Amino acid sequence: MKQFKTILKFELNNLLNNKTFKIVTIAIMVIIAGVMFFPRIKGMIVGDGEGKKEEAAGEGGSLMLIAADASVESSVQEAFKAAFPGYNVQFTSDSIDEIKEKIDKEEAECAFVLKDITDYTYIVGNLSMYDDNMDIADETLLNLYRMKTMAEKGISAEEAEAILNTEINYEVESLGKDQGMNFFYTYIMIFALYMVILMYGQMVATNVASEKSTRAMEVLVTSAKPASMMFGKVLASTIAGFVQLICIFGSAFLFYNLNKEYWGENPIIRSIFDMPLNLLVYMLVFFVLGFLVYAFMYGAVGSTVSKLEDINTAVMPITMIFIIAFMVTMFSMSSGNVDNILMKICSYIPFTSPMAMFTRIVMSTVPWYSIAISILILIGSVIGIGFLAAKIYRVGVLLYGTAPKIGTLIKSIFEH
Amino acid sequence: MQLELKDIHKSFADKQVLQGISFTVESGKAFGLLGRNGAGKTTTIRILMDVFPANSGEVLLDGKPIDYTKTGLGYLPEERGLYPKKKIIEQLIYFAELKGCSREQAIKSIDYWLGRLEMTEYRDKRLDTLSKGNQQKIQLITAVAHDPDIVILDEPFSGLDPVNAMLLKDVVREEIESGKIVLFSSHQMNYIEEFCDSIAILNKGQIALKGDLHQIKHNYRRDKLVVRSAAINQIAAESGLSCTVTDEDTALVRMASPEDKQKIMQMLTSKYDIDEVKVFEPSLNDIFVEYAGEGENQDEAV
């Protein structure tokens, strides 16, 4: 136990005092600070200028040409000017070719050529993906048409307007989970888990392999028990990973609260920072256990490699399992059905359950005993994989030359 | 104290690496474990240090199975290497703590050893800024700083300049005199001869020869004569003796039996102009080549 503490302290010290670790953490914190302070800084620089700009937009905005029959023009004129406040809406009697030429020369941005109140051609240089002018025009024209038709049928303009503007009252009562709200923190947790496991897993593997390649292992293996070494290293990287995450999320939380009023009612940001406590606890549990499962595997694989160059090839199978787990969860999340059979199975497999079960807890309703079973399997696996990893480590660290095949390795574990 | 390895067997996969290794080491004396590359020395040391267990056989300390929690072991591996990017003092403390020292004990002892090995100026430097010989001295500290009962030194002198070798010799001598069990493994026979009272020669996982070094030398067959003469080629050609000319003026004469010594000596001195004739005293090197080289050489000859 004392040995384990010594190793944990030494490894943790190595990780936390590592220059790259410090630089990366601080850099991310600075970026987060930049993002969180952005609305406030923007407000300070732009300041009063904003209001003037908006006023000017009416005259100074891009030119939109409208060509229409005289019969239609009068009714459309007012409505289009009101519907496109950002544009300088002008009526023209130019022919279609002349209009096209103007748009080509970029004198005008776009044009509506109205044959009738319900029939138009939209002319624009490049049709942007986010161009919603046609939707606005559709609505405006439809409204005009309805008003006009109703007036013809003897309904007064006021009555017609009231009919058209009737809104449906509704309230949502979700008995389960609100997927939209929870989507974001599930997404963040899955992504954080993905990043941290890949980064720190690789770090554990490299750490073990470099001790082997510098032959520091020769002394270590005679000084400490393999289980202490393995658990010490993996726990150290778990703690370091957590310190980093706390720094990142903590700074995000702090900077957000400093700038809360400038962010206004952004629902995404709000949902992230208002994560319920029970979900935070689940997140911690699955995060730690999931991390441990993979870190042990990475450590074990690192011990079978003699040269640092071989690490990437050696850890490939683990990374593949992990990426598959990530993909299954991500696809299920975006499909909206997180309770599909694949996800249910994945919730109990220790390699996939941290992501799969957490996602289901957050985005769906899972009975408590399923969660308990999943966590118990995960805890059992962490212990099992931990000791197996320590055994592989003991055999692996003394093997130099080509990395052993999995079969040989397992055989030699049980020989001892 | 007395360390005893008793009939140790070890195999990896299907390969028999050790086939019944037994030897005894006394405290206050140095023991040399010799053998060619691949003879099983490192495996023997690793079993002795409990890195992995033997398939059968025992490691005994004073007749009882060794208790690794109570017995301090220090090891200088043949494959040297520590943490190249770490400060020397930090890693030395780490290794001493792993061996059970408290931090205070460790620092005190390490400072003593840094001074003893003239390395104090490097205390706060990174390991990879040191020369190879100095790195080796640092590695030696990891083997002795925790004041172990048993010190195992694998090729301790390789890579050291004569001054450092002298320094290390003094340290080794002190360790032996302080009553520790010192186990050497080396190919440099002159050092083994200098320090070790008894040796064991390993060959292909078996002990080919073991015992007190003086005894071994004394018991070595005294059936060769060293003959030095200006007319050595003439002697080799016409005397009818089985001569091996080893030098310009020296030859090794193999006798049918040690009793022929007198007869041959008289014959040589009466017939030829002899500068020197004496019974061949084997060096440890000769003994090693004879016992450890066997088999392998035949393989090579084929």
Side-chain angles (χ1 to χ4, degrees):
Chain A
M1 201 59 202
K2 192 183 162 229
Q3 233 174 27
F4 168 74
K5 269 188 211 153
T6 309
I7 295 165
L8 180 63
K9 208 176 88 191
F10 181 78
E11 294 290 342
L12 194 59
N13 211 355
N14 279 353
L15 285 170
L16 296 182
N17 285 324
N18 183 302
K19 244 185 225 156
T20 327
F21 178 86
K22 283 187 193 164
I23 292 171
V24 167
T25 312
I26 291 172
I28 294 176
M29 283 165 71
V30 168
I31 292 170
I32 287 176
V35 170
M36 288 301 173
F37 276 99
F38 182 71
R40 177 185 285 214
I41 294 165
K42 193 178 122 200
M44 273 156 68
I45 295 170
V46 179
D48 302 330
E50 198 129 314
K52 281 177 196 164
K53 217 176 174 182
E54 256 169 35
E55 271 170 41
E59 297 298 314
S62 316
L63 187 63
M64 176 190 275
L65 294 173
I66 313 282
D69 288 348
S71 62
V72 186
E73 194 178 311
S74 58
S75 55
V76 169
Q77 197 163 12
E78 207 106 314
F80 264 60
K81 277 192 174 162
F84 294 103
Y87 281 95
N88 177 11
V89 181
Q90 276 185 15
F91 281 78
T92 176
S93 49
D94 293 345
S95 71
I96 292 187
D97 287 334
E98 282 168 327
I99 291 170
K100 281 183 182 167
E101 205 185 310
K102 278 187 178 167
I103 291 173
D104 255 351
K105 286 184 189 157
E106 292 183 13
E107 285 169 22
E109 194 192 288
C110 57
F112 283 96
V113 178
L114 300 166
K115 275 183 228 154
D116 186 8
I117 202 163
T118 54
D119 188 357
Y120 70 83
T121 311
Y122 180 56
I123 305 170
V124 66
N126 291 314
L127 186 61
S128 154
M129 221 167 80
Y130 304 105
D131 193 336
D132 54 0
N133 286 351
M134 285 162 78
D135 296 333
I136 298 171
D138 284 355
E139 204 183 319
T140 314
L141 290 173
L142 198 61
N143 229 352
L144 280 176
Y145 171 74
R146 282 178 181 154
M147 295 276 274
K148 203 179 108 196
T149 319
M150 279 193 256
E152 278 165 14
K153 304 264 170 178
I155 299 167
S156 74
E158 288 79 30
E159 279 174 320
E161 200 156 348
I163 293 168
L164 286 175
N165 290 336
T166 307
E167 276 182 15
I168 309 289
N169 273 322
Y170 68 89
E171 271 172 33
V172 181
E173 243 178 89
S174 168
L175 296 178
K177 301 285 168 62
D178 180 352
Q179 290 197 348
M181 273 292 281
N182 298 352
F183 187 83
F184 293 103
Y185 32 80
T186 317
Y187 197 85
I188 286 174
M189 137 88 182
I190 302 288
F191 228 86
L193 189 64
Y194 181 76
M195 297 290 292
V196 168
I197 285 181
L198 281 190
M199 251 173 61
Y200 282 86
Q202 195 86 6
M203 251 162 78
V204 173
T206 313
N207 181 309
V208 174
S210 67
E211 273 175 1
K212 207 175 149 184
S213 74
T214 59
R215 309 283 159 133
M217 195 57 84
E218 297 277 332
V219 181
L220 284 174
V221 86
T222 59
S223 310
K225 290 277 148 213
S228 310
M229 292 293 296
M230 198 61 176
F231 280 77
K233 276 175 193 303
V234 166
L235 230 66
S237 60
T238 314
I239 295 171
F242 250 92
V243 169
Q244 194 164 38
L245 283 181
I246 287 169
C247 285
I248 291 169
F249 284 107
S251 65
F253 186 73
L254 178 74
F255 294 141
Y256 170 71
N257 276 315
L258 285 178
N259 297 295
K260 212 169 183 174
E261 68 253 51
Y262 296 91
W263 276 96
E265 287 292 309
N266 189 328
I268 297 174
I269 301 261
R270 278 192 78 91
S271 82
I272 293 168
F273 289 108
D274 292 343
M275 188 191 274
L277 188 66
N278 65 335
L279 288 185
L280 199 67
V281 172
Y282 277 130
M283 178 165 156
L284 283 179
V285 169
F286 281 105
F287 203 108
V288 171
L289 293 175
F291 182 88
L292 287 175
V293 164
Y294 279 95
F296 279 128
M297 293 204 292
Y298 273 107
V301 167
S303 74
T304 65
V305 174
S306 325
K307 282 177 291 175
L308 285 176
E309 305 93 90
D310 298 337
I311 281 192
N312 285 329
T313 341
V315 300
M316 188 80 92
I318 302 174
T319 310
M320 287 306 283
I321 296 175
F322 184 59
I323 288 176
I324 291 168
F326 177 71
M327 294 300 239
V328 167
T329 311
M330 276 295 178
F331 280 127
S332 303
M333 265 175 78
S334 47
S335 78
N337 180 13
V338 292
D339 281 331
N340 59 45
I341 188 78
L342 190 60
M343 282 291 275
K344 279 186 178 158
I345 296 169
C346 285
S347 321
Y348 299 105
I349 302 172
F351 305 121
T352 50
S353 62
M355 287 180 170
M357 192 44 118
F358 178 75
T359 306
R360 286 182 60 211
I361 291 172
V362 179
M363 294 183 63
S364 152
T365 309
V366 187
W368 67 268
Y369 54 86
S370 290
I371 301 176
I373 291 170
S374 174
I375 292 178
L376 283 178
I377 292 176
L378 206 47
I379 291 173
S381 309
V382 167
I383 296 169
I385 291 173
F387 278 101
L388 197 66
K391 293 213 159 197
I392 293 177
Y393 178 87
R394 189 177 70 180
V395 177
V397 289
L398 295 170
L399 294 174
Y400 294 104
T402 45
K405 291 196 179 73
I406 293 176
T408 336
L409 205 61
I410 292 172
K411 216 173 123 195
S412 51
I413 291 167
F414 292 108
E415 263 176 23
H416 291 308
Chain B
M1 273 189 306
Q2 189 188 48
L3 175 72
E4 189 181 1
L5 268 72
K6 227 175 169 181
D7 199 27
I8 302 280
H9 283 81
K10 178 75 189 174
S11 56
F12 291 114
D14 300 323
K15 201 174 163 233
Q16 279 265 318
V17 181
L18 300 181
Q19 309 169 34
I21 301 292
S22 305
F23 60 79
T24 309
V25 193
E26 304 270 341
S27 60
K29 287 184 178 172
F31 178 87
L33 187 63
L34 315 180
R36 300 186 56 186
N37 305 322
K41 288 178 306 227
T42 308
T43 307
T44 308
I45 290 171
R46 283 185 178 156
I47 288 171
L48 169 57
M49 299 204 66
D50 197 31
V51 173
F52 40 65
N55 296 118
S56 67
E58 292 175 289
V59 181
L60 304 172
L61 192 68
D62 293 332
K64 281 171 276 177
I66 185 165
D67 181 354
Y68 288 102
T69 58
K70 289 188 186 134
T71 316
L73 288 129
Y75 177 43
L76 177 73
E78 185 183 2
E79 297 270 11
R80 318 263 198 259
L82 298 169
Y83 293 104
K85 306 281 178 206
K86 294 285 292 179
K87 265 191 202 170
I88 283 164
I89 182 70
E90 279 175 26
Q91 49 183 315
L92 286 177
I93 292 173
Y94 176 52
F95 284 112
E97 280 184 326
L98 280 183
K99 296 280 195 181
C101 284
S102 71
R103 198 178 166 81
E104 293 70 34
Q105 276 175 332
I107 293 172
K108 207 174 139 201
S109 168
I110 289 162
D111 281 337
Y112 163 75
W113 279 106
L114 285 171
R116 181 72 186 82
L117 294 172
E118 298 162 7
M119 297 294 288
T120 306
E121 56 178 311
Y122 302 107
R123 190 179 188 271
D124 294 310
K125 293 239 163 59
R126 265 170 42 168
L127 184 74
D128 58 0
T129 61
L130 268 62
S131 70
K132 188 167 171 269
N134 282 339
Q135 290 193 19
Q136 186 160 333
K137 288 206 266 182
I138 297 298
Q139 182 120 31
L140 179 72
I141 298 178
T142 65
V144 293
H146 56 290
D147 194 23
D149 306 305
I150 302 169
V151 184
I152 299 167
L153 304 170
D154 202 344
E155 290 293 355
F157 295 99
S158 75
L160 290 182
D161 65 46
V163 178
N164 277 329
M166 193 73 90
L167 191 61
L168 178 57
K169 273 192 207 173
D170 291 343
V171 169
V172 170
R173 208 163 277 132
E174 283 165 24
E175 291 288 291
I176 296 170
E177 276 162 16
S178 71
K180 286 178 182 164
I181 293 175
V182 178
L183 201 144
F184 265 104
S185 171
S186 180
H187 296 126
Q188 286 170 291
M189 298 302 156
N190 51 330
Y191 290 116
I192 299 282
E193 279 190 287
E194 197 175 333
F195 287 111
C196 296
D197 304 295
S198 51
I199 59 158
I201 297 179
L202 283 183
N203 189 18
K204 294 183 173 174
Q206 287 172 318
I207 298 226
L209 179 71
K210 68 173 172 183
D212 184 85
L213 189 54
H214 297 288
Q215 208 69 42
I216 287 173
K217 279 191 174 180
H218 191 74
N219 293 346
Y220 194 80
R221 290 187 310 280
R222 298 166 74 83
D223 61 351
K224 283 183 209 134
L225 294 176
V226 181
V227 182
R228 197 156 65 82
S229 163
I232 198 72
N233 289 323
Q234 194 194 350
I235 296 170
E238 46 183 72
S239 67
L241 297 165
S242 91
C243 274
T244 319
V245 179
T246 56
D247 206 346
E248 239 174 46
D249 59 350
T250 319
L252 212 54
V253 175
R254 187 180 283 272
M255 301 178 285
S257 90
E259 284 77 55
D260 296 342
K261 180 176 76 178
Q262 209 98 19
K263 207 172 70 194
I264 293 173
M265 275 182 169
Q266 273 171 3
M267 185 270 280
L268 285 169
T269 43
S270 62
K271 271 193 180 175
Y272 305 100
D273 174 20
I274 301 292
D275 292 334
E276 187 187 10
V277 58
K278 63 174 182 187
V279 173
F280 171 70
E281 291 270 0
S283 67
L284 184 55
N285 208 41
D286 301 313
I287 296 172
F288 179 80
V289 170
E290 181 170 341
Y291 283 91
E294 241 175 277
E296 289 292 313
N297 285 344
Q298 281 168 6
D299 288 347
E300 279 162 21
V302 175

